[in-house]
Amino acid sequence: MLSTLSQLRRLWDILAAIVKLPLAHLQFDMALAPADVCATYRNFTRRHPRYRIIGNKTIGAALLDIGQFASSAQYRDSIGERNWGGFFARRAQARGYQFTRIERNCYVDDIHAINQSMPERQGRPMAAGYQDRVAHYTDRENFRYVGVLDASGKLVAYCELGIYGNFALFSRLLGYRNNDGVMHFMIVEIVSMLIAERSVRYAMYDTWFGASEGLRRFKTVLGFKPYRVRYALLGVASLCPVT
């Protein structure tokens, strides 16, 4: 009986937390890259694999509302306190790290070394797709490819950033683990770039509730929060049927 009551209270707490989440309207734009936009839209709007009554990426999406910032300086100030993302980003920059757009085919070995540097991340084994060395990369038209170089010019972190409509999605985000704040630095620079461009309203860093406590803390110090999401598809919807 006590166990049942405990489970009911936990469920009630979860539902109450979900209701309080802010709501974001994310738009997929088929004009950007029809095949990739369609595939991602279908993945995000299919039934959740465990909780069938909700959409796959509709509850607890980790978002940063870029539109709230008048400038990148305002964003940096909002996370600038000690032990927050801006603090670690400044540390990395002071230690000689540089943020840059990258041509991945110029860094094939560096990317492979980064992928192989940890057997697991956030308590989960690295996916099989990260184990093989990719001999040649083909860019996707709606993606940006950026990275962080150390003082010697070695690639120490990289990100594949997808633009899907009014939001940008961190697709791959990997780097060496150290205490220099490299990953904080890369995300702060990416968000600053997006703020300057004014091309998207939100940045999305996967989901919130499925992440480890450490990863949720990492997202928090960079300004990300959990949201409820409603998705819309712009363009010819018949070209992207939802199954």
Side-chain angles (χ1 to χ4, degrees), residues 76-111:
R76 292 168 188 265
D77 287 344
S78 73
I79 55 169
E81 295 182 11
R82 184 175 179 82
N83 293 329
W84 280 67
F87 170 84
F88 292 114
R90 291 193 300 272
R91 174 191 288 178
Q93 192 165 24
R95 294 180 179 179
Y97 292 97
Q98 296 183 343
F99 174 79
T100 184
R101 295 278 189 98
I102 63 170
E103 166 52 59
R104 290 177 298 166
N105 289 313
C106 295
Y107 296 97
V108 167
D109 290 328
D110 283 348
I111 291 173

Side-chain angles (χ1 to χ4, degrees), residues 39-76:
T40 306
Y41 173 76
R42 291 176 65 177
N43 177 42
F44 280 27
T45 55
R46 66 184 174 89
R47 294 296 90 192
H48 192 282
R50 291 182 61 189
Y51 308 105
R52 303 293 293 176
I53 64 172
I54 64 174
N56 189 36
K57 302 282 187 179
T58 58
I59 302 297
L63 300 178
L64 174 59
D65 182 358
I66 291 173
Q68 67 182 297
F69 301 111
S71 66
S72 60
Q74 187 181 30
Y75 166 63
R76 292 168 188 265

Side-chain angles (χ1 to χ4, degrees), residues 6-220:
S6 178
Q7 291 176 355
L8 289 173
R9 289 195 188 98
R10 183 173 182 274
L11 179 60
W12 176 259
D13 289 342
I14 292 173
L15 292 174
I18 289 174
V19 169
K20 293 178 181 178
L21 292 178
L23 176 65
H25 295 268
L26 299 190
Q27 299 171 342
F28 284 87
D29 188 350
M30 289 282 286
L32 292 171
D36 187 36
V37 169
C38 177
T40 306
Y41 173 76
R42 291 176 65 177
N43 177 42
F44 280 27
T45 55
R46 66 184 174 89
R47 294 296 90 192
H48 192 282
R50 291 182 61 189
Y51 308 105
R52 303 293 293 176
I53 64 172
I54 64 174
N56 189 36
K57 302 282 187 179
T58 58
I59 302 297
L63 300 178
L64 174 59
D65 182 358
I66 291 173
Q68 67 182 297
F69 301 111
S71 66
S72 60
Q74 187 181 30
Y75 166 63
R76 292 168 188 265
D77 287 344
S78 73
I79 55 169
E81 295 182 11
R82 184 175 179 82
N83 293 329
W84 280 67
F87 170 84
F88 292 114
R90 291 193 300 272
R91 174 191 288 178
Q93 192 165 24
R95 294 180 179 179
Y97 292 97
Q98 296 183 343
F99 174 79
T100 184
R101 295 278 189 98
I102 63 170
E103 166 52 59
R104 290 177 298 166
N105 289 313
C106 295
Y107 296 97
V108 167
D109 290 328
D110 283 348
I111 291 173
H112 182 59
I114 291 171
N115 292 348
Q116 295 286 300
S117 64
M118 296 290 292
E120 62 179 38
R121 292 176 187 269
Q122 301 302 325
R124 300 175 182 174
M126 292 291 287
Y130 291 95
Q131 303 304 315
D132 298 331
R133 180 184 181 275
V134 177
H136 180 80
Y137 288 98
T138 300
D139 290 351
R140 287 184 278 180
E141 54 189 315
N142 60 317
F143 269 67
R144 312 278 185 81
Y145 302 97
V146 298
V148 174
L149 308 178
D150 67 11
S152 70
K154 177 183 177 181
L155 186 73
V156 295
Y158 73 96
C159 176
E160 299 176 3
L161 182 75
I163 308 298
Y164 285 93
N166 70 340
F167 71 103
L169 173 67
F170 292 102
S171 180
R172 282 197 175 192
L173 186 69
L174 290 168
Y176 290 110
R177 178 178 292 177
N178 60 32
N179 293 319
D180 291 343
V182 168
M183 300 303 290
H184 299 83
F185 174 57
M186 183 165 64
I187 292 179
V188 168
E189 290 295 320
I190 290 171
V191 172
S192 296
M193 175 182 72
L194 294 174
I195 292 172
E197 292 176 353
R198 295 295 176 193
S199 58
V200 299
R201 169 68 187 271
Y202 295 97
M204 183 176 184
Y205 190 172
D206 200 37
T207 57
W208 192 269
F209 298 118
S212 68
E213 183 177 349
L215 185 53
R216 287 198 300 270
R217 172 59 183 166
F218 179 72
K219 295 177 183 182
T220 297

